[in-house]
Amino acid sequence: MKNQLINEQIVFFDGICVFCNKSINLLEDLDKNDKFKFATLQSETAKELLPESLTVGDLKSLVFYKRGNIFLKSSAVIEIVAQLGGFWKIVKIAYIIPSIIRNVFYDLIAKNRYNWFGKNDACRLPNANNKHKYLE
């Protein structure tokens, strides 16, 4: 399956995180041209495509898999949003801020996301309208 997905743009997220799921809902709505596929960090797809360090234990990073390249944390957010095209591309200006600084804010949210937003008992299931966007 890895060879079939090499040219895809896949957003991997924590499937039980309420904040993460709401963010994915928003991204689905903004992704009018179906550029993205989605999978949870807990999925078999994640285990196959991503390093083990990103799919076990405390899942604190959004991961963007873009045609074989892996982006983490704030860099993943920047790359994902920029792929939406149009005026969204301006987000790339955030790269002028060093990742060590950008990720301080990312890590603060990631560390507290369950306390602030809650978590689900199980990973989300796609509905009939968006099932084609999900790998599992």
Side-chain angles (χ1 to χ4, degrees):
M1 175 161 67
K2 187 173 185 175
N3 289 337
Q4 296 170 330
L5 299 174
I6 194 74
N7 290 319
E8 295 289 346
Q9 296 186 100
I10 306 168
V11 178
F12 291 97
F13 63 100
D14 181 354
I16 62 171
C17 169
V18 171
F19 176 73
C20 302
N21 280 280
K22 296 230 182 254
S23 298
I24 295 301
N25 289 344
L26 175 61
L27 185 55
E28 282 178 10
D29 291 343
L30 295 172
D31 183 25
K32 303 293 184 201
N33 297 318
D34 288 340
K35 291 183 176 187
F36 302 115
K37 298 288 186 197
F38 301 97
T40 65
L41 286 164
Q42 296 91 342
S43 69
E44 290 302 315
T45 302
K47 289 176 185 154
E48 186 173 333
L49 290 177
L50 303 177
E52 185 177 349
S53 61
L54 298 176
T55 61
V56 295
D58 198 11
L59 309 171
K60 288 188 178 174
S61 183
L62 176 70
V63 179
F64 184 43
Y65 177 92
K66 180 181 172 186
R67 298 180 184 99
N69 297 304
I70 296 173
F71 298 89
L72 304 174
K73 298 184 178 190
S74 63
S75 295
V77 173
I78 293 167
E79 289 295 322
I80 291 166
V81 173
Q83 290 303 306
L84 293 171
F87 72 92
W88 292 106
K89 288 183 179 183
I90 198 165
V91 76
K92 287 240 183 184
I93 200 167
Y95 276 127
I96 64 171
I97 302 167
S99 63
I100 196 163
I101 295 170
R102 291 191 323 262
N103 286 336
V104 166
F105 297 103
Y106 184 96
D107 290 339
L108 177 67
I109 294 169
K111 179 181 176 184
N112 294 293
R113 70 190 188 282
Y114 293 151
N115 292 332
W116 294 346
F117 305 101
K119 67 181 184 176
N120 297 316
D121 293 329
C123 290
R124 72 182 283 148
L125 296 173
N127 62 42
N129 295 332
N130 63 15
K131 192 171 185 168
H132 68 283
K133 292 184 177 198
Y134 284 82
L135 298 173
E136 292 179 43

